Amino acid sequence: MHVCVLGAGIVGLATAYSLRRAGHEVTVLDRASPGSGASGGNGAQLSYSYVQPLADPGIWLQLPKLLLSPTSPLKLRPRLDPRQWLWGAQFLAACKGSTSRRTTARLLELAALSRQTFNAMMEEEQLDCDFSTTGKLVLYPDRPSFAAAHRQMLLQRDLGSRQEAVDADRCVEIEPALASRHRHIAGAIHTPSECAADCLKTCRALLAVLRRQGVRFLLGSPIEHLVLRGGSVVAAATPQGPVEADQYVMALGAHSPRLARALGVHLPIYPLKGYSITVEVGDEPRAAPSVSVTDSARKVVFSRIGSRLRVAGMAELSGYDSAVCPAQIASLKATTQTLFPQCGALGSLSPWAGMRPATPTGLPIIGTHAKGPRNLLFNTGHGALGFTLAFGSAQRISRMLDS
């Protein structure tokens, strides 16, 4: 059948790839170039084994500090927007142990499928995207936070995840660039199988692959609305004319709710604004990490992509303001200098901000909606795990259309 994919971020492109592999005719629509939204400057980590949702019972004890501290990685900027307040209330309601455990199990299952599908794609297409398999360290600054992480690791072990708890000495052995932080590390969770890649380069390489495979792209053309007839979508209206198809897949990230509302569908998605900087580090082995590193206290991730270091973090619940805040960029720079004082070229940072499409529970929305058109599937709401989960959710969409 002919399937129209709405959105050319990593989720939309992965969906187009899976559908084309299944033999469908595919058209991809987007108002911008592939990967120019939340995919473009993300954390670059493929965290298949580290998918614990932000909605966790531990958030309650951290909430005053997270919301009130000027250096907090989580910021709430209240707006006269009932959707923001509704999302916040649903998020807090999801901060329960039972909900977090169920969500973790489902995300691990989806991540395992995504790893399998992404690896098969890479073996087939050999994309140039600075892919690496150097593993990941999540650092904890004190015994209580490390103990909580150890409990989560045991939960995930029961669900099939392979990780190990390590002390500060072992951390430095795994990643020598952390030597100067030795006494500040209470412990870490090490996942040897974790990967990293440049998501924007992945998107651009997939664009070339898909075009060779006959996928049609209509880029630089916003989707004005979806035309309904008899409970089905019959066309996507664009300035260049209607695009007709048999099936439609909405993969518009944080912009999905706007288009869905016009159809009478409420999607519990709100943007969590994140920031990143990209630093040229060259080949000096101890100046910057080769292993992916997450600073759990500051909620900042470090990923080596070729000769560059991607530093990403922050979560602002501030609506759809996409402006890059200098204070947040300065914070990422300061964190980089603290953890990796020998990391050079911090004068040129390539600052970026993007809108992560987050659901309150952390689970993406995959499939049809009870109130939506019967030939419209959703593949959206992946939050900060879009790159990690993209190929798994794409595979599920493909299976749904083939069932």
Side-chain angles (χ1 to χ4, degrees), residues 126-345:
Q126 297 293 308
L127 301 188
D128 177 13
C129 59
D130 295 321
F131 178 71
S132 65
T133 57
T134 52
K136 176 175 177 175
L137 282 166
V138 182
L139 311 179
Y140 294 91
D142 51 54
R143 291 186 180 276
S145 62
F146 184 43
H150 190 267
R151 290 192 294 272
Q152 178 69 19
M153 183 196 75
L154 295 178
L155 166 67
Q156 297 195 174
R157 180 179 293 170
D158 291 340
L159 298 170
S161 182
R162 296 182 180 180
Q163 300 170 298
E164 62 176 339
V166 298
D167 61 16
D169 289 342
R170 178 63 178 140
C171 275
V172 175
E173 192 177 317
I174 294 168
E175 180 44 76
L178 287 168
S180 66
R181 296 296 297 172
H182 181 280
R183 66 188 181 90
H184 299 284
I185 301 172
I189 302 299
H190 179 221
T191 313
S193 61
E194 298 292 66
C195 310
D198 185 327
C199 190
L200 182 57
K201 290 182 74 171
T202 303
C203 289
R204 289 172 174 170
L206 276 173
L207 171 66
V209 167
L210 290 167
R211 278 182 163 156
R212 287 197 301 270
Q213 294 177 351
V215 173
R216 176 192 174 207
F217 283 85
L218 189 60
L219 303 174
S221 185
I223 303 153
E224 297 170 335
H225 62 274
L226 298 178
V227 181
L228 295 180
R229 186 179 304 139
S232 296
V233 179
V234 295
T238 77
Q240 298 181 45
V243 177
E244 298 179 352
D246 302 306
Q247 293 279 346
Y248 294 80
V249 181
M250 188 180 293
L252 292 167
H255 297 285
S256 298
R258 178 192 62 81
L259 199 62
R261 277 196 304 273
L263 305 173
V265 175
H266 168 71
L267 298 179
I269 293 172
Y270 202 78
L272 283 181
K273 185 178 180 181
Y275 292 85
S276 76
I277 57 176
T278 307
V279 184
E280 286 288 342
V281 293
D283 299 322
E284 174 57 43
R286 292 177 180 266
S290 297
V291 174
S292 292
V293 173
T294 296
D295 182 335
S296 67
R298 297 175 176 85
K299 303 291 190 292
V300 174
V301 303
F302 300 84
S303 305
R304 179 70 76 99
I305 43 176
S307 63
R308 298 162 296 144
L309 182 67
R310 174 68 49 78
V311 186
M314 316 297 179
E316 286 186 2
L317 196 65
S318 57
Y320 285 83
D321 176 13
S322 60
V324 176
C325 175
Q328 300 289 50
I329 298 302
S331 176
L332 290 177
K333 179 180 178 181
T335 298
T336 305
Q337 291 174 321
T338 298
L339 264 70
F340 305 107
Q342 298 181 56
C343 184

Side-chain angles (χ1 to χ4, degrees), residues 356-381:
R356 306 184 190 109
T359 64
T361 62
L363 281 173
I365 299 167
I366 305 171
T368 57
H369 192 283
K371 296 184 178 180
R374 52 179 167 262
N375 65 335
L376 173 64
L377 287 84
F378 296 91
N379 193 8
T380 186

